[in-house]
Amino acid sequence: INAEYGEKNSTDVKLISQCILAFKSLMRCSAGLESVVRTDNFIDNFTDSLDYVKTERLKMVILKILAALCLHDINTYKLVLRNLKFRVDELLEFLFTGGLELKTATLTCINALINSHGFECLEKEEMKELLFDKGLPTYVIGLRKPQNPDSLETQLDLFELMLEDEMSSPIEEEENIVTLQTPLEADPADVFNKLRSQLKSTTVYPLLGQLVNHLSLVKRTGTSGVLLWDLIDRFVQAAAVSRDASDPVSYTHLRAH
């Protein structure tokens, strides 16, 4: 899918489209994911394929894969940031004019870019500044519609949570500072980084992002758009102490809710 040589004819575009779908399948296993990440210039060329594919379906696949790669490691994350830094207007155009599924994939990618998953780097701050200077919050606020699918509502929730963190005032009371500095194990970024490290060499690793996305869909009954983090927390704790997957004891109190 090397896009270095300018215009592509219809055969080239068809081949690029097939390669995108092949990479999607390849990255479902840990060995495939690692081989893709280690391939020289893969992210550069894969991102450039946005210039050649015509359908929203393929654009969605590209954006979802780039979002997933943001979770792999900080070097891969930086490469994705550096490539999409020059496509901010294109991402906003997808949000403004795309279909619901393309809007969802785009916001998923943007959330992955500006929520660093424990990875802190200058490129992340530059990307956030670019998006915000272009009016990203205004774009996102305009996406709230009654007919939105749950997947889009979830990404809107995640973006708004990030905004709340950005806009929260600095902590002034000394006792609050002590409280935040003490329980490092309670930091979600630490937890997910440890989990990612432990699962990296297993067949479960490629599914970690899907699991997190699935858990983020859990909502409190009757309250649209409110993430039920307390239930997710209890589920994870119960799973951690259960003897095996068939052990019903630890999950009894969860089913009651």
Side-chain angles (χ1 to χ4, degrees):
I1 60 175
N2 193 322
E4 182 179 351
Y5 301 106
E7 293 296 324
K8 306 292 183 185
N9 59 37
S10 59
T11 301
D12 292 331
V13 172
K14 185 176 181 180
L15 180 60
I16 289 171
S17 301
Q18 293 301 315
C19 286
I20 291 168
L21 297 177
F23 280 122
K24 177 185 176 183
S25 297
L26 180 63
M27 292 172 65
R28 286 176 177 165
C29 68
S30 57
L33 174 62
E34 292 301 321
S35 66
V36 166
V37 169
R38 290 195 301 268
T39 300
D40 291 341
N41 301 319
F42 169 78
I43 293 176
D44 297 352
N45 292 319
F46 190 74
T47 306
D48 285 344
S49 66
L50 282 168
D51 294 331
Y52 300 99
V53 299
K54 305 302 181 184
T55 67
E56 288 197 353
R57 173 174 173 256
L58 285 172
K59 293 180 189 295
M60 285 163 45
V61 172
I62 295 169
L63 292 173
K64 287 181 177 180
I65 288 176
L66 290 173
L69 289 172
C70 287
L71 296 167
H72 187 269
D73 62 75
I74 190 166
N75 292 326
T76 305
Y77 176 54
K78 286 181 177 181
L79 283 173
V80 177
L81 282 166
R82 289 169 187 168
N83 275 274
L84 290 180
K85 175 181 179 180
F86 303 103
R87 294 180 178 269
V88 168
D89 289 336
E90 187 175 4
L91 293 175
L92 294 178
E93 182 69 16
F94 291 160
L95 278 182
F96 190 69
T97 64
L100 285 175
E101 291 185 340
L102 181 57
K103 291 178 190 291
T104 302
T106 303
L107 189 54
T108 299
C109 187
I110 289 174
N111 279 334
L113 292 171
I114 61 180
N115 290 288
S116 60
H117 325 290
F119 302 144
E120 296 299 332
C121 57
L122 178 62
E123 290 86 349
K124 185 201 80 169
E125 297 304 323
E126 291 176 343
M127 173 62 78
K128 187 181 294 185
E129 184 176 351
L130 275 173
L131 287 165
F132 278 53
D133 285 348
K134 294 281 188 177
L136 175 64
T138 302
Y139 277 85
V140 173
I141 290 171
L143 291 178
R144 287 286 187 187
K145 298 289 189 302
Q147 70 272 23
N148 282 346
D150 285 344
S151 54
L152 178 54
E153 284 295 303
T154 296
Q155 293 305 320
L156 290 169
D157 290 340
L158 294 173
F159 182 82
E160 289 179 1
L161 285 172
M162 182 275 300
L163 274 186
E164 290 175 7
D165 290 341
E166 286 285 314
M167 297 169 60
S168 61
S169 58
I171 299 171
E172 298 179 356
E173 297 181 14
E174 183 177 351
E175 60 179 319
N176 287 337
I177 296 176
V178 173
T179 301
L180 288 176
Q181 288 178 344
T182 303
L184 292 178
E185 68 276 8
D187 185 348
D190 290 341
V191 175
F192 281 112
N193 282 333
K194 289 176 182 177
L195 183 60
R196 182 168 52 210
S197 176
Q198 292 172 355
L199 295 178
K200 193 168 184 179
S201 61
T202 72
T203 56
V204 178
Y205 181 77
L207 303 175
L208 180 58
Q210 297 177 35
L211 174 61
V212 173
N213 284 335
H214 176 73
L215 289 176
S216 69
L217 294 174
V218 178
K219 305 289 177 69
R220 190 178 301 281
T221 303
T223 308
S224 175
V226 177
L227 297 178
L228 194 49
W229 296 113
D230 54 340
L231 177 57
I232 294 172
D233 179 61
R234 292 200 301 275
F235 171 82
V236 172
Q237 291 186 47
V241 300
S242 64
R243 291 186 292 274
D244 56 57
S246 63
D247 177 13
V249 177
S250 298
Y251 300 98
T252 302
H253 71 287
L254 295 178
R255 287 198 295 268
H257 292 278

